[in-house]
Amino acid sequence: MSARVRNNVVVTGRVGAPVVMLAHGFGCDQNMWRLVAPALARDFRVVLFDHVGAGGSDLSAWDADRYSRLDAYAEDVLEICRELDLDDVVFVGHSVSAMIGVLAAIEDPARIARLVLLTPSPRYIDDGDYRGGFSPADIDELLASLESNYLGWSAQIAPMIMGNPDRPELGQELTNSFCRTDPAIARVFARTTFLSDNRADLESVRVPTLVIECAQDAIAPREVGAYVQARIPGARLVTLDATGHCPQLSAPEATTEAIASFAAVTT
């Protein structure tokens, strides 16, 4: 099976322009970029895709053992790049896909030549002086609730992840996205996401990196953004005047501007 089919790859934008690849987070698909991708496509070649198990990906390619590690998703990203003959890609990873991008860039910096880490977290669980935003008990409770009643869990947690309670339609959209995901796949990806620890990988990144955080984010507090910036050599940090974990929906113009400004810089 080709990577293009397996991952439901969609390519838009200007032929011959710099390539921007947009990667969605847990419980989502490429539709999460619908407010950002058209604006980027005016100046860039935009590559959208769904992680295996999400959206329009080929569900027959999903395997619980393989996709219990973020490295497998990074391998898929690089396979897409090879199949489309893409080099010097600006990889934009939202949430857990930020660390997927980190792993891909470490593995093949010629393919993934620049990183935009949108609301990233290398570890969600607090550890000593490190504040990831959740205690071990928090994550245990989160995963137990997800496994016992995925639809109920989605309806409860998606609005919290989205933030912006004054715009309930955003939380409802994320809830609907979660609910479209196969619960069995979601359970595995949730454990892969929330139990991951990629802090040690950050120092191995050798490509230009932009970290984008929100002023208020219940999933990735600002201490996390500062941590990521401090440990990736030369990384820049931009704080959006936005609330929630999904600024590509809640603040699409500011998110697009930050990505485009970074992607347009030649090195």
Side-chain angles (χ1 to χ4, degrees), residues 48-150:
L48 294 155
F49 71 98
D50 296 326
H51 287 304
V52 172
S57 68
D58 191 320
L59 299 186
S60 69
W62 186 80
D63 177 82
D65 290 335
R66 170 173 168 75
Y67 290 103
S68 65
R69 55 190 183 87
L70 294 184
D71 304 75
Y73 293 97
E75 291 164 8
D76 286 353
V77 166
L78 293 175
E79 188 175 346
I80 293 169
C81 291
R82 289 191 294 269
E83 189 169 299
L84 300 182
D85 195 23
L86 303 177
D87 292 308
D88 299 321
V89 171
V90 180
F91 181 92
V92 183
H94 173 232
S95 193
V96 66
S97 278
M99 293 304 109
I100 292 169
V102 162
L103 295 173
I106 293 170
E107 178 67 24
D108 195 343
R111 300 282 187 187
I112 307 298
R114 298 166 74 80
L115 287 172
V116 178
L117 309 181
L118 182 63
T119 61
S121 180
R123 177 179 167 93
Y124 294 90
I125 300 174
D126 300 338
D127 182 21
D129 293 335
Y130 172 80
R131 185 188 174 212
F134 297 88
S135 70
D138 290 334
I139 294 298
D140 287 344
E141 181 179 350
L142 181 152
L143 293 174
S145 175
L146 182 154
E147 291 174 4
S148 66
N149 181 3
Y150 178 65

Side-chain angles (χ1 to χ4, degrees), residues 18 20 36 39-41 43-44 90 92 114 116 210 212 236 253-266:
V20 174
V36 170
L40 290 174
D43 297 306
F44 302 97
V90 180
V92 183
R114 298 166 74 80
V116 178
L210 174 67
I212 303 177
R236 292 171 45 205
E253 295 86 0
T255 302
T256 301
E257 181 181 357
I259 294 170
S261 296
F262 179 75
V265 175
T266 58

Side-chain angles (χ1 to χ4, degrees), residues 180-261:
R180 286 193 298 270
T181 304
D182 184 309
I185 293 174
R187 291 184 189 104
V188 174
F189 197 19
R191 296 187 71 83
T192 304
T193 297
F194 291 109
L195 299 179
S196 63
D197 186 352
N198 295 98
R199 291 176 294 175
D201 295 306
L202 300 178
E203 295 178 357
S204 297
V205 174
R206 291 294 180 267
V207 302
T209 301
L210 174 67
V211 180
I212 303 177
E213 65 178 7
C214 291
Q216 298 180 48
D217 184 345
I219 301 299
R222 292 188 62 179
E223 292 91 336
V224 174
Y227 181 94
V228 174
Q229 181 203 18
R231 280 155 182 80
I232 295 181
R236 292 171 45 205
L237 176 65
V238 168
T239 304
L240 302 180
D241 183 16
T243 300
H245 193 58
C246 305
Q248 68 270 57
L249 289 180
S250 62
E253 295 86 0
T255 302
T256 301
E257 181 181 357
I259 294 170
S261 296

